[in-house]
Amino acid sequence: MALSKAAGVIHTRTLLREKGKEAEAKLLSRLTPEEQVQYLALLPVSKIPIETATKIYLASVPILFPDKTVSQGMQELARSTALNDMRGVYSILLRFTTPEFMIKQTAKIWQTYHDAGEATAEHVGPKQALLRVTRYPDLPKAFLDIVSGYILGLFQISGVKNTQMQVRDHNPEAWEWLVSWD
């Protein structure tokens, strides 16, 4: 079972708690007792099975973003996580980077956040880059929206305009995110 850093789930927990006790109770009612224990005990250094993290995200989205589709909500949750993660000096530094550099760094730090899969990045055209994750056919499809939203959040912080994302999910041997911008 592949593990993922718990930072996104911890941010989700914070958002639910800000919404009130009822919001978090609603999420907990959708989890198994084992998942509840994992969720409540997470620390920033914790790792969590990717399937459990994805289940928590999917169960949280209707609570946090009731007027969005599941896909939109997942992306919004991840975008919010990026905005939270990249506060302060990081947000200043991102303004001085290029979109190509951000995609390359996303690929480089993949192993820091995930213990499965291999990420690569390439510049594929003017104002276009591709992030590819291979050797991870078990990556939950719903998690692809989390990656998309996080990238979109990074681009938003950096001031990149008109970012578009195309997820290529037809080949589980090579998940791809094609990003273009103005």
Side-chain angles (χ1 to χ4, degrees):
M1 186 177 301
L3 299 175
S4 176
K5 248 188 168 180
V9 176
I10 290 171
H11 179 66
T12 302
R13 185 174 65 192
T14 300
L15 293 175
L16 287 164
R17 289 179 176 171
E18 287 172 356
K19 233 174 155 43
K21 289 183 181 184
E22 304 81 29
E24 188 171 41
K26 193 181 244 187
L27 167 70
L28 289 170
S29 74
R30 296 173 179 177
L31 302 177
T32 67
E34 181 183 317
E35 292 165 344
Q36 290 174 10
V37 169
Q38 284 181 315
Y39 167 84
L40 292 169
L42 289 173
L43 299 171
V45 295
S46 299
K47 292 219 173 182
I48 184 171
I50 191 82
E51 295 82 4
T52 304
T54 303
K55 182 177 178 181
I56 291 168
Y57 296 143
L58 287 169
S60 298
V61 161
I63 301 165
L64 295 170
F65 309 103
D67 57 342
K68 297 195 180 295
T69 66
V70 173
S71 179
Q72 291 169 335
M74 293 284 274
Q75 288 185 31
E76 182 60 26
L77 181 58
R79 189 188 68 76
S80 169
T81 302
L83 296 176
N84 179 70
D85 289 354
M86 298 298 163
R87 293 176 289 174
V89 71
Y90 292 116
S91 67
I92 295 167
L93 292 173
L94 280 174
R95 293 188 189 281
F96 294 102
T97 64
T98 65
E100 294 91 351
F101 178 79
M102 282 189 284
I103 295 295
K104 282 183 184 175
Q105 289 307 110
T106 300
K108 283 184 180 179
I109 66 169
W110 178 268
Q111 297 308 132
T112 302
Y113 286 88
H114 305 277
D115 72 350
E118 183 177 308
T120 57
E122 62 184 272
H123 178 77
V124 293
K127 299 185 179 189
Q128 254 188 349
L130 183 76
L131 174 68
R132 180 180 295 116
V133 174
T134 56
R135 299 185 192 167
Y136 201 175
D138 296 333
L139 180 68
K141 269 198 170 186
F143 198 85
L144 301 176
D145 286 324
I146 293 294
V147 175
S148 298
Y150 203 90
I151 292 169
L152 292 170
L154 293 176
F155 277 44
Q156 177 184 339
I157 295 165
S158 70
V160 174
K161 303 292 182 210
N162 299 319
T163 306
Q164 282 129 37
M165 176 82 59
Q166 179 188 1
V167 179
R168 298 175 179 167
D169 63 354
H170 58 279
N171 179 6
E173 297 300 322
W175 306 108
E176 296 180 336
W177 293 262
L178 178 63
V179 189
S180 58
W181 59 90
D182 289 342

